[in-house]
Amino acid sequence: MSSSDFFTKFSDEASCKAYFKARRELEHSTCKQCGSLHTYWQEKENRWRCKECKHAMGLKKGTVMENSNLNYKVWLWSLYFVTLTKKGFSALELQRLVGHRRYEPIWGLMQKIRVAMGHRDEKYTLDGFIEMDEGFFEGHRKKDEEGLRTKPAKELDRQVKAIVAVSTTPIITGEDKKGRPITKPGYLKISVVQSLSKTDIAYEAEKIVAQTSYVTTDGKTSYRTLNDICGNHTAIVVKDKKQVIKIFPWVHIAISNAKKKILGLHHSVKDIYMQNYLNEFCYKFNRRYFGIKMFDRLMVAALEKPWYKS
Ligand SMILES: [Zn+2]
C-alpha cells in the first residue's frame, strides 16, 4: 500500500478501529468457549459476545494491543511506519511521526511489536545449508542503586552473546573476487543465549535448525552437540582468522549489519531488550522481498493469538 493510499484510508480513529475489527471478525465468528456460531458485536464495550454462553471476546484481547491504552490510530500507523523502511525508527522518531505526547508508551509499543515479530519467526526453523556462529552485541546494563554500572570484569561478559544462523543456497560453484563461496543468503535467526556452553547452544539450536539441515560451524567443542540435533553437522577448524569470513560469509555479514543497525539507530540498548531488537532485524531481513506486502504480514503477526507467552 502506498503512503498516500494508507493515510487516505486510515485518516482517523474510526477507520483504524474498523480495520482492526474487520481483520478479527473472521476469528470471532465462532465462540472460543462453546464453539457456537451465534456471536454478536457490542460497540460500546468493544467486544463480541456469544448468544449461547455469553462469553465475551474483546477487540484487543490476545493481540499485540492487549492492555494498551493507546488508540487504534497510533497502533496502526506505528505498524505501518515500522514496515516502511529497512532501517526502522527509534521510539523518539516514531513518537514524532504518530504525534503522541509521551515517549514511554511509544517505546513500549515498539517493544511489543518486536516481541510479536520474534514470535512469528519462531514458527519456522532453518533448513538446507546453514552457516552457524556466535555473535557478540554491545548491551548496556541497568545502573545499580548507587548509580554505577555493574561492570563484569571480563570484556566478554559485558557483551550479549547470541547464536546466529543463516540458511544459504549455492548459486554456482566457485569463489568471488574476495575468495568467498558464491552463495545466496536465505533466512536468518539470531537467538540470545545466557552462555556459549554446550547446554545453552543445544537448547537454542534445537529451536533454530531443522533435523534434516546441513549445519557448518567452526571447531569449538560446544558445537559438537549439533551432531545430535541435525543430521549433517560439519565442524571446520579455522586457524587463520582471515579465513573465517570465507567459510562463514553470510553469518558474519549478518552480525556486522545487525550491530551497525542497532547501534546506529538506537545508540545504546539494555542487554535485557537486545533480543527484541535482534527480532526486528531478523524479521525484516527474512521478509526483505515482501515489498508492499510487509504491512499486511506484520498485521498478521500483531493480531496473532497469543502474541506473548504467559
Ligand atoms: Zn459461547
Side-chain angles (χ1 to χ4, degrees):
M1 196 184 298
S2 75
S3 292
S4 76
D5 287 347
F6 180 88
F7 292 114
T8 308
K9 194 173 170 189
F10 302 114
S11 59
D12 56 9
E13 177 67 0
S15 55
C16 293
K17 186 182 161 189
Y19 180 70
F20 268 103
K21 188 174 166 256
R23 294 285 302 234
R24 300 207 83 193
E25 201 104 67
L26 214 58
E27 185 194 333
H28 285 302
S29 56
T30 314
C31 171
K32 293 286 165 295
Q33 190 154 279
C34 72
S36 166
L37 293 172
H38 303 287
T39 61
Y40 60 96
W41 174 250
Q42 293 180 302
E43 180 64 35
K44 217 173 159 188
E45 291 85 357
N46 270 329
R47 65 189 183 193
W48 287 271
R49 227 188 218 297
C50 171
K51 272 186 189 171
E52 314 288 340
C53 74
K54 307 292 175 209
H55 177 63
M57 296 161 283
L59 182 53
K60 288 181 181 173
K61 187 143 175 74
T63 73
V64 73
M65 298 171 68
E66 190 172 342
N67 302 323
S68 167
N69 291 326
L70 292 168
N71 63 32
Y72 291 93
K73 191 174 140 187
V74 168
W75 272 101
L76 203 69
W77 282 26
S78 300
L79 287 162
Y80 181 69
F81 281 126
V82 165
T83 61
L84 215 52
T85 69
K86 233 162 60 171
K87 269 188 156 182
F89 294 103
S90 68
L92 198 65
E93 286 166 332
L94 191 67
Q95 185 197 351
R96 286 186 204 124
L97 285 167
V98 298
H100 197 267
R101 64 192 162 82
R102 288 184 59 221
Y103 171 81
E104 288 79 10
I106 302 297
W107 182 88
L109 165 150
M110 289 195 83
Q111 296 301 340
K112 286 178 181 177
I113 292 174
R114 291 181 184 119
V115 172
M117 286 171 161
H119 181 68
R120 189 73 200 166
D121 268 352
E122 267 177 28
K123 288 179 184 294
Y124 311 100
T125 49
L126 302 182
D127 209 350
F129 296 101
I130 296 165
E131 295 174 17
M132 188 186 278
D133 205 356
E134 61 268 7
F136 300 93
F137 299 89
E138 201 64 48
H140 281 261
R141 284 164 192 247
K142 265 187 179 174
K143 285 178 183 174
D144 62 19
E145 282 169 7
E146 288 169 357
L148 301 165
R149 289 196 191 283
T150 46
K151 273 193 178 177
K154 290 181 195 165
E155 172 67 22
L156 195 66
D157 290 343
R158 282 203 291 273
Q159 293 179 318
V160 177
K161 300 162 204 66
I163 298 297
V164 186
V166 189
S167 64
T168 64
T169 318
I171 301 175
I172 44 168
T173 47
E175 294 172 342
D176 68 4
K177 282 178 192 167
K178 290 181 180 172
R180 296 180 298 202
I182 304 172
T183 55
K184 202 172 82 173
Y187 298 98
L188 166 70
K189 275 182 181 277
I190 309 181
S191 282
V192 168
V193 285
Q194 266 321 94
S195 76
L196 295 170
S197 69
K198 217 162 82 179
T199 324
D200 283 352
I201 289 179
Y203 181 76
E204 287 306 323
E206 225 165 358
K207 292 191 279 177
I208 290 176
V209 299
Q211 285 177 345
T212 48
S213 57
Y214 294 76
V215 183
T216 309
T217 62
D218 60 25
K220 282 188 201 70
T221 49
S222 42
Y223 286 122
R224 277 190 204 152
T225 180
L226 278 154
N227 295 342
D228 308 321
I229 293 167
C230 63
N232 306 278
H233 171 222
T234 312
I236 302 176
V237 182
V238 194
K239 284 179 183 157
D240 180 4
K241 276 195 174 175
K242 284 178 191 162
Q243 293 295 317
V244 173
I245 192 77
K246 291 185 183 176
I247 299 163
F248 309 99
W250 291 114
V251 84
H252 287 101
I253 291 169
I255 293 168
S256 145
N257 287 347
K259 276 183 188 172
K260 265 187 240 163
K261 192 194 147 185
I262 293 170
L263 274 179
L265 194 59
H266 306 288
H267 309 299
S268 112
V269 169
K270 279 181 189 157
D271 51 2
I272 53 163
Y273 298 115
M274 187 61 81
Q275 182 68 64
N276 293 354
Y277 292 88
L278 293 168
N279 285 351
E280 185 182 353
F281 182 80
C282 292
Y283 184 90
K284 287 187 175 177
F285 179 87
N286 293 336
R287 290 157 188 80
R288 60 198 179 279
Y289 302 123
F290 277 28
I292 53 167
K293 283 187 205 152
M294 268 289 272
F295 170 68
D296 185 69
R297 299 303 168 96
L298 187 58
M299 278 300 293
V300 173
L303 297 178
E304 201 162 57
K305 290 182 74 176
W307 69 273
Y308 59 86
K309 287 171 190 153
S310 58

